[in-house]
Structures are given as structure tokens and as C-alpha cells.
Amino acid sequence: MAKYAILVDLHRCIGCHACTVACKFLNETPIGVDWSWVKTIGDPAAEIGQDVPSGTYPNLQMAWLPLLCMHCADPPCAHVCPVGAINKRGDGIVILDEDKCIGCRFCIWACPYEAPKQDEDKDVVSKCHMCYFRVDQGLEPACVEACVYGARIFGDLNDPESEISRKSAAKLAHPLLPELGAQPAVRYAGARPR
Amino acid sequence: MTTQDWPLVLFQILVQAGVGMFLVLGVMHTISHFRREYEEEYTRLALVGFAIVFALVGAALVISWFHVSQMLRVFSSAPNLGSSWMAREVVFIVAFLGMVAVTIGLWLFRQVPYNIRLGWGILCGLVGLMAMTSMSMIYMLNNRPAWNTPSTMMTFMTTTAILGILTSGVVSGAYHLVVGRRVPGLSAVLSRDYSTLGMWALVALVVQGVNVGALASYLSTGPQAARDAFDILINTHRAWFWLRVIAGIMAPLLIAAAIWWMRGKETVRASGLVARLMPSGPGAMAAAVEIPAYRWMFAAFVLALMGELTGRFLFFLAVVPVTP
């Protein structure tokens, strides 16, 4: 059985937000609900969404951290859901069934990666599902396909010959916040920007 | 914290008051049974109290619906008992409500042997405690250090105790104002009960105060998210924090201590109005009369309720998650 995952190469991300736009366009998420988004790591005093570097000219620094649902092996969101609306498929994709969701938002509280989002229009919570309907057809998730600089790689971690497996090993890819024990499937190559 | 969280706060406080009062009234009645003291009056008091418990928990469940946006889907919680503490909380609270209704029925029909009523009451109390355990375990989340401590469970249990004790005091005081003055000697027994309730409330409030202090101490030295939460509590919302501590814990603590020290009695000089309320009958003009410390108990209840509401508000407001 496949174990699908996404590798994000932090050295390649240029903060263009093409992944955010592609995801929003394909999944028709409303304003304020971003299943895939990019956090700017720069001036901590800057407002959210603004690209403002930290430091003083000429020693300026700015980086980007793409975020999405980590499709954890032990998803805390699934554990807390009282109605079983969140389930993990055999191939590792974690899916939230909006038709079962009661809108209690405990999954939002439980997720360390801010993946579940409250959809005010539908009065439920929604999140990234790794474009499972595309994956089932042998296609890549929209955010991976849209990435202009190849910062995202999608594949099967159970296949040692797959590009994601080889590059994860070569680039020493690591998950975010491993100490919380959720075992995210999404890996990051390169130092986490601070 | 959003407006959608206020129904959750009210839900929790009402359920905790209900479960606590059920346990306290049950203990009070059990003691009266084994002492063979005014058992009929205590039975009526317990029935009134259990009816109030049913109303509190029922109202809480109705209010909780406003915390979720898809109310009818809540009924699908039962199959997820194995994985979700929130599902367990829902099931235990609904079960507790049903068992309280059965308790009322058993006590209305006195033909049911006392041992069966006692056994059922103990079972119902245990289900209530399981509901409280489930309610607190929901918040043991790895990514929220301010919640993921033993202090959370202690807070929920102590709130149950404080509100249960003081609500029972108010209800029993109100009941005895109506009934007690017609039953010779009952008011003296209530004074003794108030002394006991005052002592229990004193202990519970001391524990709550120590718990708040321990939590603040942990947050101030914990990971970054914990220190951020401490900053929110002590700096950003210091007024609410100190209101919670001083008016919500210390003040009712002092009142509870006074009730205990006064042996649950309050000495008043009778006037025309007070004399009409005296157990000795209307029109009597005693120089000084001892009555149960109703006013003190009610003041402690109001202050503690305000404190627990404030504390729960801060609980949701001050939590800071660990984020990437």
C-alpha cells in the first residue's frame, strides 16, 4: 500500500504563493480559508501576510515556510473529533468529511499545524485532502503541480526508488514539530527559517 | 476566544454545578439517613435539589448546541467513544441527565428500598464524575502547554466541588426559609450543615487557589507557548486575572471560613421584619436570634460563581498553541 507524502524544499520556495492560489482555485475555498498557505519569516512586527524582511540594510533576511495539512500518521485532529468526521486512508491521506462535521472546532485546537480551517460559509471545518480525487487518477495535488520552482515533490514514501524517497534521504528531510508525536507525512528539506 | 465559545463556557459551568450539587446533596441525605435526623425533610430537600440539577444539566445541553454549528449531527457521537474524549463527554452527560431523572423517580416512590436508591445514586454520581473527567481530558492537547498539565483536571474537579457545595448551600438555605421555620429544630440542623459546607468550600477554594498559583508558576518557566500564555494572563489581562483571584477565590474563601467559624450561624437582633422570619414564629421580638448564615452563603456563592466564570474565560483566552 502506498504511503503518499509531500516533500517541501525550503531552499527552492520563493514565496510566490502559486500553491495557495492553485489550491484555492481547484477546491473553491472561500476568502479566509487557505488549505495551503505560505508563512513569511521576516520582520516579526510586520502584519500577517506582509513580506517584510528582518534585519537592517544591507543585512536583510526573509524566508518562506509553506504550510498545509501534514497528513500525520497519528493525526490529533482525528482523535478529538467526536463524530468521526476525520479519517486516515490506507494510503496516508487524512480526509475531513464536511457532511459529518458539527463545527465544534476541536480539531482546530488540536492541530499543531493550523491545518483545519473554519469555513464560515458552510458552518463547518475544512482542510487539505491532498487532492485525493486527483491522486486517485494518478495526478499530483494542485499545489505540487502549480509550484513554479519545483519546491514541492509528491510521491510514495513506501517506494524507495520514488523521487520523494530519494530526495528525502539525500536532503535529510525532516518533519515540523516532531516532538509533538503526530508523525507528519509532509517533510521539509533545508533549515526551518526563524 | 470567540463569541462561539461563550455557550461552551456556560455549558461547562452549569454541568459542573449540577454534578457537584448532586454529589453534595446525596452526601447530605446519606448522612441524615444514618443519623436518623429529619430524614423526611432531607429527602424533600434532595428531591428539590435533584430537580434543579436536572434543570441545570438540561439547560447546559441546550446551550451547548449553540457552540456547534451543525446541531443535529451531534447525535453521531456514540460510535466514537473509543477515540474521542468529547464523544465520551457528550455520552456521559446525557447518561447523567437520564440517571438523575430516574433518581428523582426512585425517590418519589418511597417503596423502593433505601439501599437500591443509594446504590443508584452512587452510580449516577460516578457517571457525573466520569463526565467531568472526560470534560477535562478534552483539553490535554500536546500543542497547548497551558492546557496540557495536571492543573486542567484539578481546575475542572475543584470547580465542580466549589459550585456544588455553594449551590447546595443556597438551595438548602432557600428550602429551609420556606420549610425549616415550620419544623422545630430544623434550622439548628441547617446551621450545622452550613458549618460543614463552609469547611468543605474553604478546602475546595484553598485547593483552587493553590492550583492557580501552581499553574502560573509552571507557565512562567515553561516552553515559549506557556510563557506567552503567562504573559497574557499576568500582563495583558491582569485585571481579569486578579479579579478571578481576589474576588473569585480569596473573598469566597474568607466568607466560607467565616461561615465555618460561626458554626454556620449568624446572630442578628430581631426587628419587626426579621422577627417574622424567625423560626420562633411571627411577631416574636427576641433581643438576639441565631439564624443560619443564609446571606453569607449566598454571597460566597455569587462571588465563587463569578470567579469560576472568569476563570473559565481566562482558560480559553490565555491559551497559546505551539505552531511551526
Side-chain angles (χ1 to χ4, degrees):
Chain A
M1 172 67 82
K3 182 182 173 186
Y4 292 123
I6 294 176
L7 171 66
V8 179
D9 191 339
L10 295 174
H11 292 136
R12 287 180 165 267
C13 179
I14 59 172
C16 69
H17 295 268
C19 50
T20 305
V21 173
C23 174
K24 183 170 282 294
F25 188 75
L26 178 70
N27 295 295
E28 298 180 335
T29 55
I31 293 173
V33 177
D34 295 321
W35 291 356
S36 173
W37 70 105
V38 181
K39 194 183 261 191
T40 301
I41 313 297
D43 182 356
E47 290 181 12
I48 293 175
Q50 286 189 334
D51 280 357
V52 180
S54 62
T56 308
Y57 182 85
N59 300 313
L60 298 172
Q61 286 185 324
M62 191 161 67
W64 295 275
L65 180 63
L67 292 167
L68 66 161
C69 174
M70 300 288 153
H71 298 278
C72 305
D74 190 17
C77 56
H79 287 310
V80 303
C81 181
V83 292
I86 304 176
N87 293 285
K88 187 172 181 67
R89 296 190 345 172
D91 58 9
I93 297 176
V94 178
I95 295 179
L96 190 159
D97 186 348
E98 294 177 22
D99 290 333
K100 287 186 179 178
C101 177
I102 62 173
C104 68
R105 298 172 298 129
F106 272 107
C107 53
I108 295 177
W109 288 354
C111 177
Y113 307 105
E114 303 176 298
K117 307 287 185 182
Q118 183 165 10
D119 188 330
E120 305 278 356
D121 293 351
K122 298 179 188 175
D123 259 346
V124 293
V125 174
S126 64
K127 73 168 193 70
C128 158
H129 46 47
M130 211 184 269
C131 295
Y132 67 92
F133 48 88
R134 287 175 56 90
V135 171
D136 290 344
Q137 295 173 20
L139 302 171
E140 291 180 325
C143 59
V144 175
E145 190 174 280
C147 183
V148 295
Y149 208 44
R152 296 190 182 214
I153 300 170
F154 169 79
D156 177 9
L157 282 177
N158 280 346
D159 177 5
E161 298 305 317
S162 65
E163 184 184 9
I164 190 173
S165 294
R166 288 185 288 106
K167 289 198 173 175
S168 292
K171 293 174 184 272
L172 301 176
H174 54 87
L176 293 181
L177 303 175
E179 67 275 16
L180 296 183
Q183 303 172 58
V186 176
R187 309 292 171 85
Y188 289 79
R192 185 239 189 271
R194 298 198 180 274
Chain B
M1 183 164 167
T2 66
T3 52
Q4 195 176 351
D5 294 323
W6 277 110
L8 182 61
V9 170
L10 290 173
F11 159 75
Q12 292 179 352
I13 293 295
L14 287 175
V15 171
Q16 287 170 305
V19 171
M21 188 159 79
F22 182 89
L23 292 168
V24 171
L25 288 177
V27 169
M28 287 170 69
H29 183 274
T30 303
I31 292 173
S32 79
H33 173 80
F34 288 107
R35 280 182 174 164
R36 301 194 187 285
E37 269 182 347
Y38 298 100
E39 191 172 349
E40 184 61 29
E41 282 70 28
Y42 274 97
T43 298
R44 289 204 198 101
L45 168 62
L47 272 171
V48 170
F50 293 162
I52 294 174
V53 168
F54 185 87
L56 284 175
V57 178
L61 283 173
V62 171
I63 290 171
S64 74
W65 272 10
F66 293 95
H67 169 64
V68 300
S69 50
Q70 305 293 335
M71 300 175 186
L72 293 178
R73 296 177 187 172
V74 174
F75 297 106
S76 1
S77 296
N80 301 294
L81 291 178
S83 59
S84 168
W85 280 107
M86 188 179 172
R88 293 166 193 158
E89 177 203 46
V90 170
V91 170
F92 279 126
I93 290 175
V94 171
F96 176 75
L97 185 69
M99 292 176 78
V100 168
V102 172
T103 304
I104 294 171
L106 288 176
W107 284 44
L108 278 173
F109 295 103
R110 309 295 175 82
Q111 294 86 347
V112 178
Y114 176 78
N115 287 343
I116 292 177
R117 287 186 280 143
L118 177 63
W120 179 261
I122 290 173
L123 194 61
C124 187
L126 286 173
V127 170
L129 286 175
M130 287 306 301
M132 296 300 96
T133 303
S134 303
M135 186 184 281
S136 59
M137 287 301 293
I138 288 170
Y139 299 99
M140 304 302 277
L141 302 171
N142 284 347
N143 63 319
R144 301 200 174 227
W147 286 352
N148 196 28
T149 77
S151 171
T152 296
M153 172 81 74
M154 183 65 76
T155 296
F156 278 72
M157 291 302 182
T158 315
T159 298
T160 302
I162 291 169
L163 293 180
I165 293 164
L166 294 176
T167 308
S168 299
V170 168
V171 169
S172 61
Y175 175 81
H176 281 283
L177 271 176
V178 175
V179 174
R181 55 195 176 93
R182 295 199 292 265
V183 180
L186 187 56
S187 290
V189 173
L190 175 64
S191 295
R192 186 193 62 199
D193 285 346
Y194 264 25
S195 177
T196 304
L197 290 175
M199 180 185 67
W200 291 353
L202 173 64
V203 171
L205 285 159
V206 166
V207 170
Q208 190 74 298
V210 169
N211 184 44
V212 170
L215 177 64
S217 175
Y218 159 72
L219 291 178
S220 66
T221 57
Q224 184 61 47
R227 295 198 301 274
D228 290 342
F230 178 79
D231 187 57
I232 292 173
L233 270 180
I234 302 301
N235 294 321
T236 311
H237 293 288
R238 71 169 73 90
W240 288 111
F241 177 77
W242 288 112
L243 181 72
R244 172 354 173 216
V245 172
I246 294 172
I249 295 177
M250 291 175 62
L253 187 155
L254 291 172
I255 294 174
I259 293 172
W260 181 38
W261 181 72
M262 292 188 300
R263 294 192 183 88
K265 289 178 284 196
E266 183 179 356
T267 302
V268 295
R269 292 217 170 262
S271 65
L273 178 62
V274 175
R276 292 192 188 93
L277 298 176
M278 292 299 108
S280 53
M285 295 289 287
V289 178
E290 287 186 332
I291 60 172
Y294 303 124
R295 292 180 296 182
W296 295 105
M297 182 65 74
F298 186 73
F301 165 74
V302 170
L303 287 169
L305 178 63
M306 183 192 65
E308 295 305 323
L309 281 168
T310 306
R312 200 55 48 88
F313 163 69
L314 289 171
F315 178 80
F316 287 105
L317 190 68
V319 68
V320 176
V322 173
T323 54

